[in-house]
């Protein structure tokens, strides 16, 4: 920080002291000016004179009023204006008391709006100039009278210019602060969206593969003694499912690497082209899944393709976990106009008798699932399966409908756009 900037900061911290020093400087200038006479006996020349006591008293009163110019600018202008008018009417020879009124008018212009400055400035110029011309000891056309009009106009104009510059600088600072707050809010929003996307990916990967591992481990434990060959096959499926889970977790966590970290995995995100592999894993776990597709050859955007895959994966995982032994699921992927419809249904076969049907619940608020619509994957424990599916479908401007089927079972129906708009979520989550 420069010496001038430090001095300005110190002076700005003590405004009353600064105004007192300004008043003393103005008084000194007025007193010094009162000793000079521009009109001598031989025409226009410069000579010394002695001001009278009344003029010195008026100058002192005008300068003293400037000490309070920040606290009451209009009142100080009224006082200095009255002092200037009194000096113009009674002073002889004239003394520069109007200097105090010019400083007060400058202060009013810097601390009020332009309309007030215009009105007050015109009134001040009219009163002071009129008093000097009509009631002063000099002729109305004297240069001193015209100088009163000029200096009051300069004071009002300069003050308005200073106020405009301060307002401009403050507006720039406000815009900069607003832009900074906007950037911080945008950064926080992006961080929250990224955390949500990673949480959805981890949930989909872990829920699917852990469900398969659980089923196959249960089969292996059940047949370990009587049918060791089948137990070995089940354990092989457990090993394959765990390896797939680790690979997908590694790919997901790789997205969190920093720029200087080792290169993250570049394997493309799964899509409907891997639907056969997904269904095969459920077949190995003992779930009967039938697939019907009429969308062969339909290119899908990456985000839509991943959303379709994750919806089917989560829906089948919920069937595997909640529908019980002997359940059958059907998956259909159909191209309908500008959209692809994904439907996953199950028959809800259970070892125990089904519970009595409950009345239909009222519609839930957007983004929330009703309690009775939990079905597979959203039991009383408060899972995130349906919520994650809905977030994925909404992110690509699609729609999702879930709920129990008439006669038992559960239905998941998603409509995804084939043409993914650029303003939609481009994130493949």
């Amino acid at each position: 920080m420069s010496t001038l900037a430090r001095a300005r900061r110190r002076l700005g911290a003590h405004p009353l002291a600064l105004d007192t020093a300004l008043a003393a400087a103005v008084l000194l200038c007025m007193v010094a000016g009162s000793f000079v006479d521009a009109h001598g006996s031989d025409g226009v020349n410069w000579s010394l004179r002695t001001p009278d006591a009344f003029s010195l008293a008026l100058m002192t009163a005008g300068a003293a009023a400037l000490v309070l110019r920040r606290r009451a600018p209009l009142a100080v202008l009224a006082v200095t204006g009255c002092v200037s008018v009194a000096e113009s009417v009674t002073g002889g020879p004239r003394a520069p008391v109007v200097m105090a009124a010019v400083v007060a008018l400058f202060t009013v212009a810097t601390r009020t709006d332009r309309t007030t400055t215009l009105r007050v400035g015109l009134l001040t110029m009219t009163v002071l100039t009129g008093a000097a011309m009509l009631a002063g000891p000099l002729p109305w056309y004297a240069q001193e009278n015209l100088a009163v009009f000029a200096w009051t106009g300069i004071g009002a104009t300069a003050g308005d210019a200073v106020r405009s510059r301060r307002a401009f600088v403050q507006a720039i600072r406000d815009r900069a602060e607003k832009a900074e707050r906007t950037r911080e809010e945008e950064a926080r929003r992006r961080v929250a969206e990224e955390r949500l996307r990673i949480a959805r990916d981890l949930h989909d990967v872990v829920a699917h593969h852990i469900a398969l591992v659980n089923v196959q481990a249960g089969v292996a434990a059940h047949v370990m003694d009587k049918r060791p060959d089948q137990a070995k096959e089940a354990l092989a499926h457990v090993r394959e499912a765990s390896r797939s889970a680790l690979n997908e977790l590694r790919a997901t966590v790789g997205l969190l690497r920093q720029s200087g970290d080792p290169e993250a995995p570049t394997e493309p995100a799964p899509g409907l082209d891997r639907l056969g592999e997904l269904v095969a894993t459920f077949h190995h776990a003992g779930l009967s899944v039938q697939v019907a597709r009429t969308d062969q050859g339909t290119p899908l955007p990456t985000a839509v393709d991943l959303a379709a895959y994750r919806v089917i994966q989560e829906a089948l995982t919920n069937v595997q976990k909640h529908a019980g032994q002997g359940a059958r699921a059907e998956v259909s992927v159909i191209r309908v106009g500008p959209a692809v419809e994904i439907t996953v249904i199950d028959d809800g076969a259970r070892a125990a008798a089904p519970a009595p049907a409950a009345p239909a619940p009222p519609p839930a608020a957007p983004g929330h699932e009703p309690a009775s619509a939990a079905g597979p994957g959203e039991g009383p424990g408060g899972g995130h399966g349906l919520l994650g599916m809905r977030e994925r479908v909404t992110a690509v401007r699609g729609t999702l409908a879930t709920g129990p089927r008439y006669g038992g079972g559960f239905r998941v129906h998603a409509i995804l756009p084939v043409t993914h708009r650029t303003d939609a979520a481009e994130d493949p989550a």
Side-chain angles (χ1 to χ4, degrees):
M1 184 180 296
S2 63
T3 304
L4 180 59
R6 287 195 295 267
R8 292 180 61 183
R9 174 170 294 185
R10 293 193 186 99
L11 291 176
H14 303 87
L16 184 59
L18 179 61
D19 291 341
T20 303
L22 176 63
V26 171
L27 177 60
L28 181 61
C29 291
M30 289 190 296
V31 171
S34 66
F35 281 92
V36 178
D37 185 10
H39 298 273
S41 59
D42 297 330
V44 179
N45 55 31
W46 298 93
S47 61
L48 294 177
R49 68 181 182 184
T50 301
D52 56 14
F54 184 71
S55 295
L56 291 175
L58 292 177
M59 286 185 287
T60 304
L66 294 179
V67 176
L68 303 177
R69 68 187 187 96
R70 296 178 190 264
R71 298 182 180 180
L74 291 175
V76 170
L77 177 61
V79 171
T80 55
C82 292
V83 171
S84 299
V85 170
E87 195 279 333
S88 298
V89 173
T90 62
R94 295 280 298 276
V97 181
V98 73
M99 182 183 296
V102 172
V103 175
L105 181 58
F106 172 84
T107 304
V108 170
T110 59
R111 303 182 74 84
T112 59
D113 56 277
R114 180 164 296 174
T115 302
T116 303
T117 300
L118 181 61
R119 294 174 180 175
V120 174
L122 288 176
L123 179 61
T124 303
M125 286 188 292
T126 302
V127 171
L128 296 184
T129 306
M133 288 182 174
L134 299 178
L138 299 176
W140 69 270
Y141 54 84
Q143 293 182 356
E144 287 84 347
N145 297 336
L146 297 178
V148 172
F149 180 85
W151 280 108
T152 51
I154 292 174
T157 304
D160 184 72
V162 171
R163 181 197 57 79
S164 299
R165 182 182 180 278
R166 289 176 181 174
F168 177 73
V169 173
Q170 186 62 37
I172 292 178
R173 291 176 179 173
D174 293 341
R175 285 196 296 268
E177 292 176 358
K178 182 178 180 180
E180 184 66 24
R181 290 195 301 269
T182 302
R183 285 194 294 268
E184 292 176 357
E185 293 172 358
E186 179 68 14
R188 287 194 295 268
R189 185 185 65 82
R190 290 183 178 273
V191 168
E193 291 179 352
E194 183 67 10
R195 291 176 60 186
L196 180 61
R197 185 191 67 80
I198 295 174
R200 286 200 303 262
D201 278 346
L202 291 177
H203 172 270
D204 293 341
V205 171
V206 173
H208 167 61
H209 290 290
I210 294 302
L212 297 181
V213 168
N214 181 57
V215 171
Q216 295 292 352
V219 172
H222 182 68
V223 300
M224 180 65 72
D225 297 331
K226 298 181 179 179
R227 287 172 288 181
D229 294 338
Q230 187 175 354
K232 290 181 180 180
E233 182 180 356
L235 292 177
H237 291 313
V238 169
R239 184 170 58 252
E240 181 180 355
S242 61
R243 184 184 302 112
S244 299
L246 289 175
N247 292 336
E248 292 197 33
L249 284 175
R250 187 179 299 111
T252 301
V253 176
L255 298 176
L256 301 177
R257 296 180 184 272
Q258 303 295 326
S259 58
D261 293 342
E263 183 179 358
T266 57
E267 181 181 358
L272 292 180
D273 57 337
R274 296 176 56 182
L275 181 58
E277 301 177 11
L278 177 65
V279 172
T281 60
F282 286 101
H283 278 305
H284 294 155
L287 178 65
S288 175
V289 182
Q290 295 181 354
V291 179
R293 297 188 62 176
T294 61
D295 68 316
Q296 279 76 6
T298 300
L300 296 178
T302 303
V304 176
D305 201 20
L306 177 61
Y309 179 87
R310 293 303 190 192
V311 166
I312 297 174
Q313 181 187 52
E314 180 63 27
L316 292 179
T317 301
N318 291 340
V319 174
Q320 179 72 48
K321 291 192 298 183
H322 300 281
Q325 295 293 331
R328 294 185 299 273
E330 298 179 5
V331 178
S332 64
V333 183
I334 304 174
R335 170 71 182 270
V336 180
V340 170
E341 294 189 7
I342 309 294
T343 305
V344 180
I345 60 176
D346 66 88
D347 57 6
R350 298 176 181 272
H368 298 78
E369 296 296 331
S372 60
E378 295 295 334
H384 301 279
L386 293 184
L387 180 60
M389 282 192 288
R390 186 174 299 280
E391 289 172 348
R392 285 187 179 278
V393 172
T394 303
V396 295
R397 303 298 178 92
T399 59
L400 178 71
T402 61
R405 296 176 60 203
Y406 177 77
F410 202 78
R411 177 177 180 269
V412 175
H413 180 69
I415 301 177
L416 307 176
V418 174
T419 302
H420 186 38
R421 290 173 49 184
T422 56
D423 57 323
E426 292 297 336
D427 196 315

